Amino acid sequence: MADTPLVNLTIEGRTVSVPAGTSILEAAKTVGVLIPHYCYHPGLPVAGVCRMCLVDVEEAPKLAPACATAVAEGQVVNVHAEKARDARKGVLEMLLINHPLDCPICDQSGECELQDYTYQEGRADSRYREPKRFNPVEDFGGDVMYVPNRCILCTRCVRFMDDVAHDAVLNVSERGDRATIGKFEGKDLTHAWAGNVIDLCPVGALLSKDFLNKARSWELDRTASVCSGCSQGCNMTVETRDNAVVRLRPRPNAEVNEFFLCDHGRLNYRWMNRGDRLEAPSVRGASGPRATDWDVALAVAAQALKGKTVFVLASPNLSNEALFFLSRIMKAAGGRGAFRIEQGPEAPLAGVDDLALRADRAANGRGAELLGFERSTTPLAGVSAGDAVIIADHDLTADDAAHLSRASTIVLVSTFMPSALTRADVILPIGNHVEEEGTFTNLRGRVQRFLQARAAPGMARPSWYVLADLSAALGDRLNVMTGAQAFAALAASEPAFAGPSYDTLGLRGAAVAGATAGAAS
Amino acid sequence: MSHGPSAAAGAAISTTPHGHSSEPYVPVFTGETRAQLDALMERYPTKMAALLPALWMVQEARGWVSPEAMAEVGQVLGLTAAYVKGVVTFYTMYHQHPVGKHFIQVCTTTPCHVCGAEDVVKAFLKQTGCGELGVTSTDGKYTVIEVECLGACGFATPVMVNADFIESVTPEKVPELLKKYG
Amino acid sequence: MGFPHKPHPRETTVLSEHFGEAEARSLDGWKSRGGYRALEQALGMDPLAIQAVVKESGLRGRGGAGFPTGLKWSFMKIGDGKPHYLCCNADESEPGTFKDREIMRWTPHALIEGCAIAAHAIGAETAYIYIRGEFTEPLDVMERAVDEARRAGVIGKNAMGSGKRVDVWVHKGAGAYICGEETALMNSLEGKRGNPRIKPPFPAAAGLFGMPTTINNVETLAAVPPILVNGGEWYKKMGRADNPKSTGTKLWSVCGNVMRPGNYEVEMGFPFKEFLYDLCGGPPKGRKFKAVIPGGSSVPIITMAEAEAAVMDYEGMVAVGTMLGSAGCIVMDDAQSIPRQVARLARFYAHESCAQCTQCREGTAWTTKILERMVAGGGTTEDLDTLMDLADDMTGKTICVLSDSCAAPVVSGLQKFRSEFEALITRKTVHTVPAIVA
């Protein structure tokens, strides 16, 4: 907004210069000052009800709610002035009078904003001597349960369902201290994006039934990643405990998913922990696959592929880097590649521009297309007699398997053994997308990095690493040792990916010109 | 808002204890009533603004606002049932369950309190046989509740019986008053 | 008037002149009493000219805030191309206040006329009269009067043949004190929960349905026709010579422990002592006055010493540590327990809190629980400190002033009648009623 005038003010002694109309709370963020708050959320309309963000503005008669007060020229704001701290202390005390002492059994513990601010600025004791208000736990449907006793009535959940999801199934019921969040009998939180209310809830009032009592927040390791549930490419955080993925949560990205993740993406993580993984490089022996070491398996695979036309069945959930090496192998051998991408009903988040659970239920269909793989409902129909086929982490139907009878050689580069596959000459085990780093290209041509969140099982290696080695064994050596180098090699050879590097992509990704051109809009 | 549980066994109305009829719901906004609502909606630039008036029409027709009625109003005005419920539960005058034939509201806020409003309440509870606030008498005739300031403080103690606004009620006047509401 | 009693000679009956006259309710009856001359005059005037008259009169909002009416109207930008709205606040729910009810049920056309003039003065074509749902008689009377006025062409598409449109609609509330707060009233009218809005934006910028809106109290609007007919000067002259900030008359709703409760209309600046003992007849037989809440329950309680020294206008009430507010005058005699009444008032506010702001939602309920526990004999000295602390937490920190209003009786009650609270703690019973003095 080049034409919006700037306003200059002072917050906690720091000089701030922000566009007119910015709230004091947002202005404070720009200079690293966090003003405590509950009901405010940058993805929701301002409510100004929790009264936690009250700050002292010099010469103003009353404390100002920072989330609902626009900056003014020359304002001097003291977030930690005594009267502001007293006011916040008062709010915290009031929020705790009916709040049960549930921390030991509450899932939110460790990531609870009520705990955080009380510890930081609240009272060490309680003066409340009266009986506490009690309401039973409710099932709100979907993945959401509601614990009214813990609710601080910030109304983030109500505003999300109403203003962002455009499905006003939550309300505030009753009045005064009898108020709770409510819904209508029979109308549940079945909206495709309803699970976001769990993340939005600052306390343990709205909880995930899936995550209930599963792990403590401080036990979790958190890694930046990208959801592979569909082609939207929502940024997410993978949370693991003892190397098992226990929860997925949205990671903010203003260009893709704002602050939100759909329930399909959020709850679809169990496959990441599946136990039936390919763990050892194997070659086919007289009585079935025989585990061996990487050098042997790669050599056998290269031998099996040499001189033949190569057909690649590549999963649209493979990274750009892995698909890059696959496409090099495929093109060098004068072959083709295809993939099938599962479809499902689209479910937009109406209140956010261009955000939906997409019909394409895989992360990297666009990447695959850009790298020369053809989208098809019968991807193996193009296999010619005598072709060497590489199956790269793609599942097989009975029909697919029938086409394979024409193949002379089958090399399986995969995380799992497809049940319809009867024969594989070489098996090269790889990691899934939370077990390695890489990038995906979303439906709009945005390339985004994901990082490794857990260790791959057994001897499995990163997919791009294995495929770079296989490509080298076939005579195409690119000297790639890291994910960054793999991407650099991709960017150097493919015009669609020219420009970015891992450094420039950072953890928010970037729209890549070559990739966005011709992307669905 | 809720005023407490309605009477169970013995109520004259043929409903289950929580007032939900086992018969299918009959819509309120048909024919004449619908026409009235349509005319009323002309007064406002949004459909939502007709919500409070529509809820009054429901209560006038049925004596209370049932969940089915909330869903119907929502449908007619393009609002979710949860939204309508949120509004209904905010305002004290919409009954969320059936009440006695004569719904008695006694003001007990300070100006009436200092003029003996509590004794008026006691007199009503005794005379109606309700015994308890918010509980409908077993014959289904009366429900007595305390309300906040009715805006007739100089005429302590004001009492509403359904839509009748009666001023200057004292304990002594209660028996005579109730005769009209047999 | 001490209506329903006969007017006292010291009253100045501008608004209440025709209280009690059944014929005044009809259009013809009102016209024969001089009604609708002001509207006819106003419809031929420029909106800014009407605003000027009202500004000059010094009329201030009679709902409780006392904001200068002419100034409030001037915030509306005439000719901005947006639909403007006038809301008449007839939600009268402030304990102690019962004047708007009388204006509506005895002189409905006075209000309709005031609404129509105000609408024209602020560039509005639509006026809504939001009447609390419990006011069944005023609702009925107003609906019929509005209908009558519309059929006679006094209001409607072509008000009084002026070519100007003024639509007036009655809108029924459903039981919520908080809907008397102007922004909550607008939300309620829009079909929402009666939650007050954060300001800015102010109603004159974005109010009802997001459009420029002015909200005025019934009594304020009813004063507009006589001001227009008699002139701003005439209204300004009523009041203390040395206090030009409070002008005109005020309807005082007197209730509680007093010989002659009712509505009294007196000029600004009337001596409170004379008012209470002479016009209102003093305390009930055998009792003495103990305390007064002069402006509706949301203003501080004052002692009789303070009351007897007070003058009945905005500044006069502030001078004795309280406010004129809505002039809902609650009088308590020596048979009453201040802690018990403060507890009862706290309960009122706790019941009415909309639940948005933490301090109000939790604070009003907590305050009530402490006070009721004290009245029941379970209080401690720490409770008194806690109550004062809570009152401070509840003042000046919320979207609206309901929580401040709950704090007012607590603070003033503790400050001025502390011994009664302390006695409760030590003796664990509400004080015994002094014997009747024969």
Side-chain angles (χ1 to χ4, degrees), chain B residues 50-132:
Chain B
L51 179 53
L52 267 72
L55 290 168
W56 276 120
M57 291 171 76
V58 167
Q59 187 148 297
E60 264 139 48
R62 298 291 157 84
W64 64 298
V65 184
S66 66
E68 293 87 351
M70 291 184 212
E72 188 197 347
V73 170
Q75 215 176 17
V76 172
L77 297 178
L79 306 164
T80 61
Y83 179 86
V84 174
K85 185 168 183 198
V87 170
V88 170
T89 59
F90 183 88
Y91 296 98
T92 59
M93 295 187 79
Y94 296 126
H95 309 314
Q96 287 166 68
H97 54 80
V99 294
K101 186 157 167 239
H102 306 292
F103 189 68
I104 301 165
Q105 306 161 74
V106 184
C107 175
T108 59
T109 313
T110 295
C112 293
H113 203 271
V114 301
C115 294
E118 287 200 319
D119 293 330
V120 176
V121 172
K122 285 194 190 119
F124 271 109
L125 284 173
K126 183 159 169 248
Q127 286 294 135
T128 57
C130 285
E132 233 186 286

Side-chain angles (χ1 to χ4, degrees), chain A residues 145-442:
Chain A
M145 55 184 275
Y146 178 57
V147 186
N149 297 336
R150 300 174 185 164
C151 180
I152 61 170
L153 276 197
C154 71
T155 69
R156 280 185 181 180
C157 55
V158 179
R159 280 176 283 140
F160 174 78
M161 292 312 298
D162 193 1
D163 295 289
V164 186
H166 291 196
D167 184 22
V169 292
L170 292 180
N171 63 31
V172 178
S173 288
E174 301 294 324
R175 212 165 66 191
D177 75 329
R178 288 82 59 207
T180 60
I181 303 300
K183 66 175 196 63
F184 191 79
E185 182 75 38
K187 299 279 189 211
D188 290 346
L189 277 179
T190 51
H191 189 277
W193 293 80
N196 286 289
V197 299
I198 298 164
D199 303 320
L200 289 167
C201 183
V203 298
L206 287 169
L207 296 172
S208 161
K209 291 184 226 167
D210 181 79
F211 187 67
L212 192 65
N213 299 337
K214 222 199 275 190
R216 285 320 226 157
S217 150
W218 54 84
E219 296 174 326
L220 303 175
D221 292 309
R222 296 177 169 87
T223 312
S225 185
V226 176
C227 180
S228 63
C230 81
S231 58
Q232 175 74 36
C234 295
N235 289 197
M236 69 173 183
T237 302
V238 176
E239 299 184 338
T240 61
R241 176 174 179 244
D242 295 340
N243 208 45
V245 177
V246 291
R247 186 170 63 177
L248 302 177
R249 293 216 292 180
R251 195 162 52 86
N253 188 327
E255 311 298 320
V256 185
N257 57 312
E258 288 214 353
F259 306 93
F260 311 117
L261 193 63
C262 78
D263 286 14
H264 172 75
R266 175 191 299 273
L267 294 171
N268 229 316
Y269 63 85
R270 285 183 164 77
W271 62 267
M272 299 172 187
N273 301 324
R274 64 192 289 185
D276 58 336
R277 292 286 296 272
L278 294 169
E279 297 196 12
S282 314
V283 294
R284 187 162 59 105
S287 48
R290 189 172 50 81
T292 177
D293 64 41
W294 275 104
D295 290 339
V296 169
L298 283 166
V300 172
Q303 192 58 40
L305 295 169
K306 210 175 284 198
K308 304 219 177 97
T309 310
V310 174
F311 191 98
V312 179
L313 178 67
S315 163
N317 271 321
L318 285 170
S319 62
N320 293 319
E321 293 82 352
L323 290 166
F324 166 60
F325 287 109
L326 276 169
S327 87
R328 283 179 81 89
I329 293 170
M330 167 179 104
K331 287 170 186 162
R336 297 157 56 195
F339 64 94
R340 177 171 47 240
I341 189 162
E342 243 188 77
Q343 299 292 297
E346 182 157 301
L349 184 57
V352 178
D353 213 27
D354 198 27
L355 179 59
L357 165 60
R358 300 292 172 181
D360 273 1
R361 293 287 207 258
N364 208 12
R366 178 99 191 112
E369 281 168 346
L370 287 168
L371 288 164
F373 295 89
E374 191 193 311
R375 173 193 288 253
S376 166
T377 47
T378 52
L380 287 173
V383 170
S384 310
D387 279 355
V389 175
I390 302 178
I391 299 170
D393 214 29
H394 197 296
D395 204 354
L396 296 172
T397 61
D399 285 342
D400 294 331
H403 289 299
L404 283 174
S405 59
R406 299 193 290 285
S408 60
T409 305
I410 297 174
V411 174
L412 179 67
V413 182
S414 184
T415 56
F416 71 104
M417 172 63 74
S419 50
L421 185 65
T422 47
R423 159 197 145 220
D425 297 295
V426 184
I427 297 173
L428 302 176
I430 56 171
N432 62 36
H433 100 269
V434 297
E435 293 163 353
E436 59 187 49
E437 68 170 341
T439 56
F440 287 141
T441 311
N442 83 349

Side-chain angles (χ1 to χ4, degrees), chain C residues 89-173:
Chain C
N89 188 342
D91 191 57
E92 188 163 66
S93 308
E94 180 76 19
T97 320
F98 52 100
K99 56 183 177 73
D100 297 336
R101 184 167 163 262
E102 301 304 301
I103 293 173
M104 286 190 281
R105 66 179 184 156
W106 292 117
T107 59
H109 286 284
L111 179 58
I112 295 172
E113 189 175 8
C115 285
I117 296 170
H120 180 55
I122 62 168
E125 290 189 333
T126 310
Y128 296 104
I129 305 177
Y130 184 105
I131 306 180
R132 62 180 292 186
E134 297 89 340
F135 273 5
T136 44
E137 191 190 346
L139 277 159
D140 186 47
V141 172
M142 288 304 304
E143 280 276 18
R144 286 197 267 126
V146 164
D147 198 48
E148 203 187 354
R150 189 176 304 118
R151 278 186 281 109
V154 170
I155 54 171
K157 277 202 294 268
N158 183 11
M160 299 188 96
S162 65
K164 309 216 169 53
R165 179 192 200 103
V166 181
D167 277 326
V168 180
W169 304 110
V170 170
H171 187 95
K172 183 176 177 185

Side-chain angles (χ1 to χ4, degrees), chain A residues 19-41:
Chain A
T22 309
S23 67
I24 294 178
L25 194 149
E26 284 293 338
K29 279 188 194 175
T30 66
V31 287
V33 175
L34 168 65
I35 297 176
H37 61 276
Y38 291 118
C39 68
Y40 175 75
H41 190 281

Side-chain angles (χ1 to χ4, degrees), chain A residues 431-462:
Chain A
N432 62 36
H433 100 269
V434 297
E435 293 163 353
E436 59 187 49
E437 68 170 341
T439 56
F440 287 141
T441 311
N442 83 349
L443 81 167
R444 297 279 176 256
R446 185 180 191 84
V447 176
Q448 306 184 106
R449 286 181 66 190
F450 53 85
L451 305 181
Q452 181 178 5
R454 68 172 233 141
M459 294 168 71
R461 286 177 170 178

